[in-house]
Amino acid sequence: MKIKEVKTYIVSQKLGEQSFCYSQAWYNTRTLMLLEIITEDGVYGFGEAFGNAFVNKAIIDNVYAPKLIGQHIFDSEKIWDELYNTLRDNGQKGSCIQAISAVDNALWDLKGKYTHLPVYQLLGGARRDKILPYATGFYHTKTDNQEALLVEEAHKYLTAGFKAMKMKIGFGIENDIQMVKTVREAIGPDIKLMVDANHAYTAMAAIKIAQAIEKYDITWFEEPVIPEDIGGYKEVKAATSIPIAGGEAEFTRYGFKRFIDERCVDILQPDCSIMGGLSEAQKIFSMAKIANTQCYPHVWGSAIALQTGMHAAFAMPDFPESLNPGEVLFEYDRTPNIFRDEMNLLYQVTLKDGYIEKPEFEGLGFEPDRDLIAKHLVK
Ligand code: CA
C-alpha cells in the first residue's frame, strides 16, 4: 500500500460556440488538472484540483510528488500535514491547497479500493440514502436575447426532473433583478431557486439586489461580496431574509474557522477539490457542527470532483439532527464539460424523482476513460 508513482494530467476541451460567462470571466475552454497516484501493487486512485491547472501541476510535480513516493496510503493525515507545512509560509490559500486536495482525495479513492468500501463509509458512514441535486447553470452567452435562452434552459432542467436550480447573477443590479424574475416565472413556485453573484458586488449593491428579489422565494444568495469582505457578508446577511451562502473561495480549517466564528454566512460551501480535500472537509464539518451552521458541498469540475463532492454530501452530518432533517442540496453543474459527462466509465449521475441515490461503488466510484484523457491531453 505504498505509493510508487504520481502522475498529473492536464486535459482541455474547447467550447467554441458553447462558450459562456459568469460575473468574472468567459469560459472558452474547460481545462482541468487530474492526479493519479499508483501504489506498488498497481492500484490507482484519482483526485482533481480545481483552479489553474498549470500552476497546480507544477506544484504537485515539483514539490509534492517527490514527498509522496514510498509513503503508505493510510498515512494520509500525516501526509496532509507534511505537504501543508512544506508550503505553509508561501501558500495558506489558493493553488498550494488545491493541489493538496487532489492528493488527499486520490488517497481516499485508494483507501476505498483497498478496503472495497465506498469513501462515504470510510468517512464515517452515509447519513442519508439520497441527496437533492440542483442544476447549476443560467450562465450568460453571446446572444441578443439572453432572457429567452434562460427560459429555454429553465424548461430543459424541468424536463430533466430537477427540483432545484441555481442561476448566475452579477451582471448589473437591474439586469439581475429582471433575470431572476424571468427565471422564477419560467419555473413556477414549487422549484427551489438560488442565485450566485460570484462576489461581483459591494455589500450595498448586494443588499439592493437581495431586497428586490426576496419576493421570488430565493433559497440562498451565494457569494454576494468578495471572500475577504467578512464585514460585507455580515451586512448583507443582516439586511435580507434570503439565506447567505459562501465558502467556495475559502481554504482549510483555518480559513473556514474565520467564516464560522464570524457567523457571516447561513450556508457554508466547502469544495473538496479546493479547500484541502475530504480530510479537511471532515474538520470543517465538525467546526460547522459546533456552530450549528449548514454545509452544502460546492462542486465544479470533472467526474472526479463530482464523485468526491458526492461522497462528502452523503457522509456529512445533519445540521442539526432531528426526526425530519433538512435535505442536502448538491451542486450539479450543467454547463458543457465532457470530462464530467463522459470520462467516468463506472458511474453516471442519474436523477430518480429529482434525487441522486447513494452509489455503491468502492473508492470514489471513478474509472477513467483513458482514451478520452489521452485525446484531450495538453502536452
Ligand atoms: Ca458559486
Side-chain angles (χ1 to χ4, degrees), residues 21 51 58 64 68 116 142 160 186 188 192 212 241 245 250 270 288 293 342 352 366:
C21 72
Y64 295 162
L68 291 171
H116 304 295
K142 291 189 180 85
K192 288 185 198 305
S241 61
E250 193 49 84
T293 301
E342 296 174 31
K352 193 175 172 194
F366 175 72

Side-chain angles (χ1 to χ4, degrees), residues 217-230:
D217 187 17
I218 304 300
T219 299
W220 73 66
F221 184 169
E222 182 169 324
E223 288 203 299
V225 298
I226 54 173
E228 300 92 329
D229 186 10
I230 297 290

Side-chain angles (χ1 to χ4, degrees), residues 2-279:
K2 288 187 173 170
I3 297 167
K4 186 184 176 192
E5 199 177 357
V6 177
K7 291 181 176 174
T8 49
Y9 310 89
I10 295 177
V11 289
S12 189
Q13 172 195 13
K14 285 194 174 64
L15 294 177
E17 288 296 302
Q18 293 182 299
S19 295
F20 58 89
C21 72
Y22 68 121
S23 68
Q24 301 297 334
W26 277 89
Y27 268 92
N28 299 308
T29 66
R30 296 299 296 254
T31 304
L32 310 162
M33 196 228 65
L34 314 175
L35 165 77
E36 181 179 18
I37 296 180
I38 306 162
T39 66
E40 289 173 338
D41 313 308
V43 183
Y44 54 85
F46 272 84
E48 176 176 348
F50 175 93
N52 188 297
F54 300 93
V55 176
N56 289 335
K57 179 174 164 54
I59 293 168
I60 292 176
D61 290 351
N62 296 299
V63 185
Y64 295 162
K67 291 182 174 291
L68 291 171
I69 307 301
Q71 298 237 41
H72 196 288
I73 61 157
F74 275 89
D75 289 344
S76 52
E77 288 285 335
K78 167 180 168 282
I79 290 170
W80 199 101
D81 287 347
E82 281 175 14
L83 298 186
Y84 181 72
N85 202 44
T86 299
L87 291 177
R88 172 178 245 142
D89 293 4
N90 318 94
Q92 295 156 14
K93 295 180 192 283
S95 297
C96 298
I97 306 302
Q98 289 162 347
I100 291 182
S101 308
V103 172
D104 186 67
N105 295 334
L107 292 175
W108 279 104
D109 192 21
L110 279 165
K111 287 184 273 188
K113 284 181 170 177
Y114 272 97
T115 56
H116 304 295
L117 292 169
V119 166
Y120 59 71
Q121 194 156 23
L122 297 180
L123 293 171
R127 318 282 182 122
R128 52 198 64 86
D129 295 324
K130 59 183 185 178
I131 52 178
L132 184 64
Y134 62 86
T136 289
F138 304 102
Y139 287 72
H140 287 204
T141 49
K142 291 189 180 85
T143 175
D144 296 331
N145 195 348
Q146 194 63 62
E147 221 164 339
L149 285 182
L150 294 183
V151 171
E152 195 180 304
E153 192 175 347
H155 289 151
K156 195 176 73 181
Y157 298 146
L158 287 175
T159 304
F162 282 100
K163 295 178 190 293
M165 305 176 192
K166 185 169 82 187
M167 65 181 290
K168 290 292 166 181
I169 61 169
F171 301 100
I173 295 173
E174 295 310 318
N175 184 281
D176 285 353
I177 295 167
Q178 177 60 32
M179 296 299 165
V180 171
K181 177 176 186 283
T182 298
V183 172
R184 173 48 84 193
E185 284 171 359
I187 63 178
D190 299 332
I191 302 292
K192 288 185 198 305
L193 178 64
M194 293 76 91
V195 300
D196 182 0
N198 291 96
H199 52 75
Y201 291 118
T202 61
M204 200 167 62
I207 288 167
K208 196 168 179 187
I209 292 167
Q211 291 178 344
I213 62 173
E214 278 176 355
K215 61 183 175 217
Y216 301 119
D217 187 17
I218 304 300
T219 299
W220 73 66
F221 184 169
E222 182 169 324
E223 288 203 299
V225 298
I226 54 173
E228 300 92 329
D229 186 10
I230 297 290
Y233 260 108
K234 289 165 88 165
E235 286 170 22
V236 179
K237 185 167 170 260
T240 178
S241 61
I242 301 174
I244 300 301
E248 69 174 87
E250 193 49 84
F251 299 84
T252 75
R253 72 201 83 163
Y254 303 107
F256 274 87
K257 183 174 190 304
R258 190 183 57 129
F259 253 64
I260 291 166
D261 286 352
E262 295 280 351
R263 299 190 79 82
C264 67
V265 295
D266 300 287
I267 296 159
L268 289 160
Q269 299 175 296
D271 188 313
C272 297
S273 298
I274 295 178
M275 54 61 183
L278 286 161
S279 300

